Amino acid sequence: MDLKNKILIVDDSPSIVLALRDILEADYSVYDAGSGEEAFEKLPDIIPDIILLDVELPGINGYEICRRIRAEKMYGFVKIIMLTSCTSLEDCITGYQAGADDYVGKPFKKDELLAKVRVFLRLKTVEDQLKNLNSMLNEQVDIRTQQLVDAEKMATIGRLTAGIVHNLNTPLQGILGYAQLLELEYPENKEIKKLTRAANNMKQIIRTILNTSHRSSTNEYANVNINEVLENQIELQKANPFFKQHVLTKTHLEPIPPYHGLYVHFSQSLGNLINNAVEALYDSEVKELTISTGLEKSSIVIKIADTGPGISRKNLDKIFNPFFTTKPLTADDDRPTGTGLGLASCREMIASYGGTIRVESKEGCGTTFTVVLPLYDESDRDSPPAADAPDNHTAYH
Protein backbone atom coordinates (compact mmCIF):
# COMPACT_ATOMS: atom_id res chain seq x y z
CA MET A 1 0.00 0.00 0.00
CA ASP A 2 1.39 3.39 -1.06
CA LEU A 3 1.47 5.68 1.99
CA LYS A 4 3.02 8.65 0.17
CA ASN A 5 1.10 11.92 -0.09
CA LYS A 6 -0.66 12.26 -3.44
CA ILE A 7 -0.22 15.19 -5.80
CA LEU A 8 -2.30 15.75 -8.95
CA ILE A 9 -0.79 17.95 -11.69
CA VAL A 10 -3.38 19.55 -13.99
CA ASP A 11 -1.49 21.09 -16.93
CA ASP A 12 -1.73 20.72 -20.71
CA SER A 13 2.01 21.19 -21.26
CA PRO A 14 3.86 17.83 -21.37
CA SER A 15 7.17 19.57 -20.63
CA ILE A 16 5.76 21.23 -17.49
CA VAL A 17 4.28 17.93 -16.31
CA LEU A 18 7.59 16.15 -16.88
CA ALA A 19 9.52 18.85 -15.02
CA LEU A 20 7.14 18.68 -12.06
CA ARG A 21 7.33 14.89 -11.97
CA ASP A 22 11.15 15.05 -11.87
CA ILE A 23 10.93 17.33 -8.82
CA LEU A 24 8.17 15.52 -6.92
CA GLU A 25 8.22 11.79 -7.69
CA ALA A 26 11.05 10.96 -5.29
CA ASP A 27 8.89 11.86 -2.27
CA TYR A 28 5.28 11.82 -3.46
CA SER A 29 2.84 9.80 -5.54
CA VAL A 30 2.32 11.96 -8.62
CA TYR A 31 -0.63 11.86 -11.06
CA ASP A 32 -1.39 14.14 -14.00
CA ALA A 33 -4.28 15.33 -16.15
CA GLY A 34 -4.11 17.45 -19.31
CA SER A 35 -7.48 19.18 -18.88
CA GLY A 36 -10.20 19.97 -16.40
CA GLU A 37 -12.43 17.22 -17.79
CA GLU A 38 -9.68 14.62 -17.34
CA ALA A 39 -8.95 15.92 -13.84
CA PHE A 40 -12.61 15.48 -12.79
CA GLU A 41 -12.58 11.93 -14.12
CA LYS A 42 -9.50 11.04 -12.04
CA LEU A 43 -10.30 12.98 -8.84
CA PRO A 44 -12.67 10.43 -7.21
CA ASP A 45 -10.12 7.62 -7.55
CA ILE A 46 -7.11 9.68 -6.48
CA ILE A 47 -8.49 12.17 -3.90
CA PRO A 48 -5.14 13.98 -3.85
CA ASP A 49 -3.64 15.91 -0.97
CA ILE A 50 -2.47 18.72 -3.27
CA ILE A 51 -3.49 19.81 -6.76
CA LEU A 52 -1.02 21.82 -8.84
CA LEU A 53 -3.45 23.56 -11.18
CA ASP A 54 -2.56 25.50 -14.30
CA VAL A 55 -4.71 28.59 -14.86
CA GLU A 56 -4.67 28.56 -18.67
CA LEU A 57 -6.16 25.25 -19.82
CA PRO A 58 -8.11 24.17 -22.90
CA GLY A 59 -11.86 24.05 -22.21
CA ILE A 60 -12.49 24.79 -18.54
CA ASN A 61 -9.91 27.23 -17.16
CA GLY A 62 -8.15 26.80 -13.81
CA TYR A 63 -10.38 29.24 -11.93
CA GLU A 64 -13.57 27.39 -12.90
CA ILE A 65 -11.96 24.03 -12.08
CA CYS A 66 -11.03 25.41 -8.68
CA ARG A 67 -14.59 26.63 -8.04
CA ARG A 68 -16.07 23.25 -9.00
CA ILE A 69 -13.64 21.36 -6.78
CA ARG A 70 -14.48 23.60 -3.83
CA ALA A 71 -18.20 22.95 -4.43
CA GLU A 72 -17.62 19.24 -3.74
CA LYS A 73 -17.62 18.49 -0.02
CA MET A 74 -15.37 15.44 -0.34
CA TYR A 75 -12.52 17.64 -1.63
CA GLY A 76 -12.88 20.28 1.08
CA PHE A 77 -9.42 19.70 2.58
CA VAL A 78 -7.54 19.26 -0.72
CA LYS A 79 -4.95 22.03 -1.14
CA ILE A 80 -4.90 23.83 -4.50
CA ILE A 81 -1.79 25.66 -5.70
CA MET A 82 -2.30 27.60 -8.94
CA LEU A 83 0.43 27.56 -11.59
CA THR A 84 0.46 30.71 -13.71
CA SER A 85 2.67 33.15 -15.54
CA CYS A 86 0.24 35.94 -14.57
CA THR A 87 0.86 36.92 -10.96
CA SER A 88 -0.75 40.35 -10.83
CA LEU A 89 -2.74 41.26 -7.73
CA GLU A 90 -5.97 41.02 -9.72
CA ASP A 91 -5.12 37.50 -10.93
CA CYS A 92 -4.22 36.41 -7.40
CA ILE A 93 -7.48 37.78 -5.97
CA THR A 94 -9.46 35.97 -8.68
CA GLY A 95 -7.73 32.71 -7.76
CA TYR A 96 -8.25 33.15 -4.03
CA GLN A 97 -11.93 33.95 -4.60
CA ALA A 98 -12.23 30.74 -6.62
CA GLY A 99 -10.82 28.77 -3.67
CA ALA A 100 -7.09 28.52 -4.39
CA ASP A 101 -4.73 28.24 -1.41
CA ASP A 102 -1.62 29.76 -3.05
CA TYR A 103 0.21 30.59 -6.26
CA VAL A 104 3.47 29.49 -7.87
CA GLY A 105 4.66 31.60 -10.79
CA LYS A 106 5.92 30.21 -14.08
CA PRO A 107 8.71 29.54 -14.66
CA PHE A 108 8.73 28.05 -11.14
CA LYS A 109 11.72 27.55 -8.90
CA LYS A 110 12.28 24.07 -7.53
CA ASP A 111 13.01 25.16 -3.95
CA GLU A 112 10.00 27.47 -3.81
CA LEU A 113 7.69 24.78 -5.19
CA LEU A 114 8.91 22.12 -2.73
CA ALA A 115 8.70 24.53 0.19
CA LYS A 116 5.07 25.39 -0.58
CA VAL A 117 4.15 21.74 -1.13
CA ARG A 118 5.63 20.81 2.27
CA VAL A 119 3.87 23.70 4.05
CA PHE A 120 0.47 22.83 2.64
CA LEU A 121 0.94 19.10 3.28
CA ARG A 122 1.62 19.86 6.93
CA LEU A 123 -1.48 22.05 7.06
CA LYS A 124 -3.61 19.39 5.39
CA THR A 125 -2.34 16.74 7.80
CA VAL A 126 -3.44 18.86 10.77
CA GLU A 127 -6.82 19.55 9.15
CA ASP A 128 -7.32 15.84 8.45
CA GLN A 129 -6.53 15.03 12.07
CA LEU A 130 -9.00 17.65 13.28
CA LYS A 131 -11.62 16.29 10.89
CA ASN A 132 -11.12 12.74 12.18
CA LEU A 133 -11.19 13.93 15.79
CA ASN A 134 -14.38 15.90 15.18
CA SER A 135 -15.96 12.88 13.52
CA MET A 136 -14.98 10.67 16.44
CA LEU A 137 -16.32 13.19 18.98
CA ASN A 138 -19.62 13.46 17.09
CA GLU A 139 -19.88 9.69 17.07
CA GLN A 140 -19.18 9.53 20.80
CA VAL A 141 -21.74 12.26 21.49
CA ASP A 142 -24.34 10.28 19.53
CA ILE A 143 -23.46 7.11 21.45
CA ARG A 144 -23.49 8.92 24.79
CA THR A 145 -26.83 10.58 23.99
CA GLN A 146 -28.35 7.21 23.15
CA GLN A 147 -26.88 5.74 26.34
CA LEU A 148 -28.45 8.49 28.42
CA VAL A 149 -31.80 7.88 26.74
CA ASP A 150 -31.41 4.16 27.37
CA ALA A 151 -30.34 4.86 30.96
CA GLU A 152 -33.52 6.84 31.62
CA LYS A 153 -35.58 4.04 30.09
CA MET A 154 -33.76 1.50 32.28
CA ALA A 155 -34.29 3.66 35.37
CA THR A 156 -38.03 3.72 34.64
CA ILE A 157 -38.03 -0.03 34.05
CA GLY A 158 -36.05 -0.47 37.27
CA ARG A 159 -38.67 1.42 39.27
CA LEU A 160 -41.46 -0.61 37.71
CA THR A 161 -39.53 -3.83 38.30
CA ALA A 162 -39.02 -2.96 41.96
CA GLY A 163 -42.78 -2.51 42.31
CA ILE A 164 -43.48 -5.80 40.55
CA VAL A 165 -40.91 -7.63 42.67
CA HIS A 166 -42.41 -6.15 45.83
CA ASN A 167 -45.87 -7.36 44.77
CA LEU A 168 -44.51 -10.89 44.27
CA ASN A 169 -43.91 -11.15 48.00
CA THR A 170 -47.58 -11.82 48.85
CA PRO A 171 -48.22 -14.77 46.50
CA LEU A 172 -44.73 -16.13 47.25
CA GLN A 173 -45.50 -16.06 50.97
CA GLY A 174 -48.62 -18.12 50.26
CA ILE A 175 -46.62 -20.64 48.23
CA LEU A 176 -43.99 -20.88 50.96
CA GLY A 177 -46.64 -21.27 53.68
CA TYR A 178 -48.41 -24.13 51.90
CA ALA A 179 -45.05 -25.76 51.10
CA GLN A 180 -44.11 -25.67 54.78
CA LEU A 181 -47.49 -27.18 55.75
CA LEU A 182 -46.98 -29.97 53.21
CA GLU A 183 -43.48 -30.55 54.56
CA LEU A 184 -44.90 -30.94 58.09
CA GLU A 185 -47.45 -33.47 56.83
CA TYR A 186 -45.00 -35.32 54.58
CA PRO A 187 -41.55 -34.78 56.18
CA GLU A 188 -39.86 -37.46 54.08
CA ASN A 189 -41.06 -36.20 50.70
CA LYS A 190 -37.99 -34.95 48.78
CA GLU A 191 -40.02 -33.10 46.13
CA ILE A 192 -41.75 -30.99 48.79
CA LYS A 193 -38.37 -30.17 50.34
CA LYS A 194 -37.16 -29.00 46.90
CA LEU A 195 -40.26 -26.82 46.59
CA THR A 196 -39.59 -25.23 49.99
CA ARG A 197 -35.94 -24.57 49.12
CA ALA A 198 -36.89 -23.03 45.78
CA ALA A 199 -39.44 -20.74 47.44
CA ASN A 200 -36.90 -19.69 50.08
CA ASN A 201 -34.33 -18.98 47.36
CA MET A 202 -36.84 -16.82 45.50
CA LYS A 203 -37.63 -14.97 48.71
CA GLN A 204 -33.92 -14.26 49.23
CA ILE A 205 -33.54 -12.98 45.67
CA ILE A 206 -36.53 -10.65 46.10
CA ARG A 207 -35.14 -9.37 49.40
CA THR A 208 -31.75 -8.69 47.77
CA ILE A 209 -33.27 -6.85 44.79
CA LEU A 210 -35.47 -4.68 46.99
CA ASN A 211 -32.64 -3.97 49.45
CA THR A 212 -30.20 -3.00 46.69
CA SER A 213 -32.83 -0.92 44.87
CA HIS A 214 -33.72 0.97 48.06
CA ARG A 215 -30.13 1.69 49.03
CA SER A 216 -29.11 2.71 45.52
CA SER A 217 -31.92 5.27 45.35
CA THR A 218 -30.62 7.34 48.27
CA ASN A 219 -28.17 10.23 47.97
CA GLU A 220 -27.31 10.27 51.67
CA TYR A 221 -23.82 9.39 52.85
CA ALA A 222 -23.69 6.53 55.31
CA ASN A 223 -21.44 3.77 56.58
CA VAL A 224 -21.43 1.10 53.88
CA ASN A 225 -20.67 -2.56 54.55
CA ILE A 226 -18.44 -3.41 51.57
CA ASN A 227 -18.68 -7.15 52.21
CA GLU A 228 -22.46 -6.91 52.14
CA VAL A 229 -22.32 -4.98 48.87
CA LEU A 230 -20.24 -7.76 47.32
CA GLU A 231 -22.56 -10.48 48.64
CA ASN A 232 -25.58 -8.64 47.23
CA GLN A 233 -23.93 -8.26 43.83
CA ILE A 234 -23.07 -11.97 43.76
CA GLU A 235 -26.67 -12.76 44.71
CA LEU A 236 -27.95 -10.55 41.88
CA GLN A 237 -25.69 -12.39 39.42
CA LYS A 238 -27.70 -15.55 40.14
CA ALA A 239 -30.42 -14.12 37.93
CA ASN A 240 -27.97 -14.73 35.06
CA PRO A 241 -28.40 -18.39 33.96
CA PHE A 242 -24.80 -18.51 32.70
CA PHE A 243 -23.46 -17.45 36.10
CA LYS A 244 -25.78 -19.71 38.05
CA GLN A 245 -25.12 -22.83 35.96
CA HIS A 246 -21.48 -22.50 34.94
CA VAL A 247 -19.46 -20.19 37.18
CA LEU A 248 -17.79 -21.42 40.34
CA THR A 249 -17.60 -18.53 42.83
CA LYS A 250 -15.09 -18.43 45.67
CA THR A 251 -15.30 -15.71 48.32
CA HIS A 252 -12.82 -14.78 51.05
CA LEU A 253 -14.40 -11.82 52.83
CA GLU A 254 -12.43 -10.84 55.92
CA PRO A 255 -13.84 -8.52 58.60
CA ILE A 256 -13.35 -4.92 57.48
CA PRO A 257 -14.62 -1.62 58.90
CA PRO A 258 -17.61 0.13 57.28
CA TYR A 259 -16.77 2.69 54.63
CA HIS A 260 -18.38 6.13 54.58
CA GLY A 261 -19.94 7.08 51.26
CA LEU A 262 -22.87 6.56 48.91
CA TYR A 263 -24.06 2.96 48.68
CA VAL A 264 -24.76 3.34 44.95
CA HIS A 265 -21.12 4.23 44.20
CA PHE A 266 -19.92 0.93 45.61
CA SER A 267 -22.79 -1.19 44.30
CA GLN A 268 -22.25 0.15 40.77
CA SER A 269 -18.47 0.13 40.67
CA LEU A 270 -18.02 -3.28 42.34
CA GLY A 271 -21.03 -4.64 40.47
CA ASN A 272 -19.45 -3.56 37.19
CA LEU A 273 -16.17 -5.26 38.05
CA ILE A 274 -17.94 -8.48 39.03
CA ASN A 275 -20.08 -8.40 35.89
CA ASN A 276 -17.00 -7.85 33.69
CA ALA A 277 -15.26 -10.79 35.39
CA VAL A 278 -18.28 -13.04 34.80
CA GLU A 279 -18.51 -12.00 31.14
CA ALA A 280 -14.79 -12.72 30.70
CA LEU A 281 -15.54 -16.37 31.58
CA TYR A 282 -18.01 -16.81 28.73
CA ASP A 283 -15.70 -18.86 26.47
CA SER A 284 -13.21 -20.05 29.12
CA GLU A 285 -12.72 -23.73 29.80
CA VAL A 286 -12.26 -23.04 33.52
CA LYS A 287 -14.92 -20.68 34.84
CA GLU A 288 -13.92 -19.47 38.29
CA LEU A 289 -14.64 -16.15 39.97
CA THR A 290 -12.72 -15.30 43.16
CA ILE A 291 -13.64 -12.32 45.33
CA SER A 292 -11.73 -11.35 48.45
CA THR A 293 -11.50 -8.46 50.88
CA GLY A 294 -9.03 -7.54 53.58
CA LEU A 295 -7.02 -4.80 55.25
CA GLU A 296 -3.58 -3.71 54.08
CA LYS A 297 -1.92 -0.91 56.01
CA SER A 298 -4.61 1.81 56.23
CA SER A 299 -6.76 0.68 53.33
CA ILE A 300 -9.52 -1.74 52.45
CA VAL A 301 -8.42 -3.99 49.58
CA ILE A 302 -10.93 -5.74 47.34
CA LYS A 303 -9.79 -8.27 44.73
CA ILE A 304 -11.96 -9.61 41.93
CA ALA A 305 -10.25 -12.30 39.85
CA ASP A 306 -11.38 -14.42 36.92
CA THR A 307 -9.92 -17.32 34.96
CA GLY A 308 -10.85 -15.76 31.62
CA PRO A 309 -8.66 -15.23 28.56
CA GLY A 310 -6.85 -12.23 30.06
CA ILE A 311 -6.23 -8.83 28.50
CA SER A 312 -3.67 -8.35 25.74
CA ARG A 313 -0.75 -6.02 26.39
CA LYS A 314 -1.83 -3.63 23.65
CA ASN A 315 -5.23 -3.20 25.34
CA LEU A 316 -4.11 -3.15 28.97
CA ASP A 317 -3.39 0.59 28.97
CA LYS A 318 -6.68 1.40 27.24
CA ILE A 319 -9.26 -0.46 29.33
CA PHE A 320 -10.07 2.55 31.53
CA ASN A 321 -10.45 4.90 28.55
CA PRO A 322 -14.05 6.02 27.98
CA PHE A 323 -15.70 4.19 25.06
CA PHE A 324 -12.91 1.61 24.76
CA THR A 325 -14.28 -1.91 24.64
CA THR A 326 -13.50 -5.18 22.93
CA LYS A 327 -17.16 -6.21 23.20
CA PRO A 328 -19.77 -5.46 20.54
CA LEU A 329 -22.41 -2.84 21.30
CA THR A 330 -25.11 -5.33 20.38
CA ALA A 331 -25.31 -9.07 19.80
CA ASP A 332 -27.88 -11.38 18.24
CA ASP A 333 -27.21 -14.09 20.81
CA ASP A 334 -26.53 -13.98 24.56
CA ARG A 335 -22.88 -12.99 24.19
CA PRO A 336 -21.67 -10.10 26.39
CA THR A 337 -21.99 -6.60 24.98
CA GLY A 338 -20.56 -3.30 26.20
CA THR A 339 -20.34 0.46 25.71
CA GLY A 340 -16.80 1.01 26.99
CA LEU A 341 -18.02 3.13 29.91
CA GLY A 342 -18.15 0.55 32.70
CA LEU A 343 -14.50 0.57 33.77
CA ALA A 344 -14.16 4.30 33.15
CA SER A 345 -17.06 5.04 35.50
CA CYS A 346 -15.70 2.53 38.05
CA ARG A 347 -12.34 4.28 38.20
CA GLU A 348 -14.00 7.70 38.42
CA MET A 349 -16.18 6.66 41.36
CA ILE A 350 -13.38 4.90 43.24
CA ALA A 351 -10.97 7.80 42.59
CA SER A 352 -13.46 10.23 44.12
CA TYR A 353 -12.80 8.50 47.47
CA GLY A 354 -9.04 8.75 47.01
CA GLY A 355 -9.01 5.11 45.94
CA THR A 356 -7.35 3.31 43.05
CA ILE A 357 -8.06 0.35 40.79
CA ARG A 358 -5.12 -1.78 39.68
CA VAL A 359 -5.27 -4.49 37.07
CA GLU A 360 -3.02 -7.51 36.57
CA SER A 361 -3.62 -9.78 33.63
CA LYS A 362 -1.93 -12.65 31.89
CA GLU A 363 -3.17 -13.82 28.52
CA GLY A 364 -4.63 -17.31 28.73
CA CYS A 365 -4.71 -17.25 32.55
CA GLY A 366 -7.07 -14.52 33.69
CA THR A 367 -7.35 -11.05 35.15
CA THR A 368 -7.39 -9.60 38.66
CA PHE A 369 -8.78 -6.16 39.50
CA THR A 370 -7.65 -4.75 42.85
CA VAL A 371 -9.61 -1.91 44.42
CA VAL A 372 -7.85 0.02 47.20
CA LEU A 373 -9.96 2.31 49.41
CA PRO A 374 -8.01 4.41 51.94
CA LEU A 375 -9.44 4.52 55.46
CA TYR A 376 -10.00 7.92 57.05
CA ASP A 377 -10.22 9.08 60.64
CA GLU A 378 -13.67 9.62 62.12
CA SER A 379 -12.93 13.38 62.16
CA ASP A 380 -12.74 13.30 58.35
CA ARG A 381 -16.14 11.69 57.93
CA ASP A 382 -18.09 14.96 58.01
CA SER A 383 -16.52 15.86 54.67
CA PRO A 384 -16.23 12.52 52.89
CA PRO A 385 -13.84 12.29 49.97
CA ALA A 386 -16.72 11.12 47.84
CA ALA A 387 -18.37 14.54 47.87
CA ASP A 388 -17.21 15.25 44.33
CA ALA A 389 -18.07 11.81 43.07
CA PRO A 390 -20.09 11.54 39.87
CA ASP A 391 -23.83 11.81 40.38
CA ASN A 392 -24.47 9.19 37.73
CA HIS A 393 -26.44 6.26 39.05
CA THR A 394 -26.43 4.32 35.83
CA ALA A 395 -24.17 1.29 35.51
CA TYR A 396 -22.55 0.76 32.10
CA HIS A 397 -21.08 -2.58 31.08
Side-chain angles (χ1 to χ4, degrees):
M1 182 178 179
D2 191 354
L3 298 178
K4 291 181 179 179
N5 290 108
K6 293 178 284 188
I7 297 177
L8 173 63
I9 302 167
V10 184
D11 200 303
D12 62 332
S13 170
S15 60
I16 295 291
V17 172
L18 182 61
L20 289 170
R21 280 187 170 277
D22 286 342
I23 294 171
L24 300 169
E25 278 188 324
D27 299 309
Y28 309 108
S29 295
V30 181
Y31 306 85
D32 65 80
S35 66
E37 290 82 355
E38 186 182 355
F40 284 118
E41 287 179 8
K42 292 185 175 181
L43 269 173
D45 295 326
I46 301 171
I47 308 184
D49 298 295
I50 290 181
I51 298 175
L52 298 178
L53 178 60
D54 187 20
V55 171
E56 300 298 329
L57 287 166
I60 310 170
N61 67 30
Y63 299 132
E64 181 59 25
I65 293 170
C66 194
R67 277 189 284 269
R68 291 188 187 183
I69 290 173
R70 289 299 181 226
E72 296 289 338
K73 188 176 180 181
M74 66 184 297
Y75 306 126
F77 291 97
V78 173
K79 299 304 170 189
I80 300 176
I81 300 176
M82 306 291 282
L83 302 175
T84 180
S85 55
C86 302
T87 55
S88 67
L89 179 59
E90 184 179 348
D91 292 325
C92 290
I93 290 174
T94 301
Y96 290 136
Q97 289 175 337
D101 293 287
D102 205 351
Y103 272 86
V104 170
K106 290 182 179 180
F108 49 82
K109 297 177 181 178
K110 176 181 177 180
D111 290 342
E112 179 190 5
L113 177 69
L114 286 174
K116 291 194 174 186
V117 166
R118 293 189 191 107
V119 166
F120 282 105
L121 281 177
R122 284 198 297 269
L123 179 59
K124 184 178 184 299
T125 298
V126 172
E127 289 176 345
D128 286 343
Q129 290 172 343
L130 289 173
K131 178 185 175 183
N132 292 336
L133 178 60
N134 186 58
S135 176
M136 183 181 72
L137 289 174
N138 285 335
E139 182 181 345
Q140 291 181 350
V141 167
D142 290 341
I143 292 172
R144 179 60 171 151
T145 301
Q146 186 58 49
Q147 287 167 345
L148 291 173
V149 172
D150 292 343
E152 182 56 33
K153 290 179 182 177
M154 291 306 296
T156 302
I157 292 170
R159 289 190 291 270
L160 292 172
T161 302
I164 293 169
V165 169
H166 177 75
N167 291 332
L168 288 175
N169 262 325
T170 301
L172 178 62
Q173 198 61 43
I175 293 170
L176 185 57
Y178 284 116
Q180 289 170 341
L181 287 174
L182 286 170
E183 193 171 359
L184 288 173
E185 189 171 347
Y186 305 99
E188 302 302 322
N189 190 304
K190 294 182 179 178
E191 300 304 319
I192 294 175
K193 289 182 183 294
K194 289 180 181 178
L195 177 62
T196 305
R197 281 198 300 271
N200 277 317
N201 286 340
M202 188 177 294
K203 185 177 181 180
Q204 178 59 40
I205 291 172
I206 289 174
R207 184 184 295 117
T208 301
I209 291 172
L210 292 175
N211 183 44
T212 303
S213 176
H214 172 71
R215 292 192 176 190
S216 296
S217 65
T218 180
N219 285 323
E220 295 181 4
Y221 287 89
N223 288 332
V224 179
N225 185 329
I226 298 296
N227 284 344
E228 183 182 312
V229 172
L230 292 167
E231 289 170 344
N232 285 342
Q233 291 302 316
I234 294 169
E235 191 68 29
L236 289 174
Q237 283 289 335
K238 292 180 181 178
N240 177 356
F242 168 74
F243 176 84
K244 189 171 183 178
Q245 297 170 18
H246 302 290
V247 178
L248 173 63
T249 304
K250 301 177 181 178
T251 57
H252 309 283
L253 307 181
E254 297 181 5
I256 53 176
Y259 204 85
H260 198 65
L262 288 182
Y263 183 92
V264 66
H265 289 162
F266 302 107
S267 65
Q268 284 190 11
S269 55
L270 298 177
N272 261 326
L273 292 175
I274 291 173
N275 192 71
N276 281 350
V278 171
E279 291 181 344
L281 299 172
Y282 191 90
D283 290 319
S284 296
E285 186 174 343
V286 178
K287 298 175 173 59
E288 289 185 8
L289 171 68
T290 303
I291 301 174
S292 64
T293 58
L295 290 174
E296 291 183 14
K297 297 180 180 179
S298 299
S299 299
I300 292 174
V301 177
I302 305 147
K303 293 191 177 184
I304 299 170
D306 64 67
T307 56
I311 303 169
S312 66
R313 283 190 176 185
K314 67 177 183 179
N315 290 336
L316 203 54
D317 293 334
K318 304 175 186 176
I319 60 172
F320 290 107
N321 293 347
F323 301 102
F324 176 81
T325 180
T326 57
K327 304 172 190 173
L329 283 173
T330 59
D332 295 330
D333 53 18
D334 60 348
R335 286 186 171 275
T337 59
T339 63
L341 288 173
L343 289 177
S345 64
C346 284
R347 185 168 67 171
E348 187 178 353
M349 281 186 267
I350 295 300
S352 69
Y353 291 86
T356 58
I357 302 179
R358 300 194 304 265
V359 57
E360 298 173 53
S361 189
K362 186 176 180 181
E363 289 187 71
C365 296
T367 302
T368 299
F369 283 90
T370 302
V371 178
V372 180
L373 292 169
L375 292 169
Y376 295 89
D377 296 334
E378 289 296 326
S379 58
D380 296 330
R381 297 260 170 117
D382 292 334
S383 301
D388 295 326
D391 189 24
N392 179 2
H393 292 185
T394 303
Y396 297 102
H397 302 296

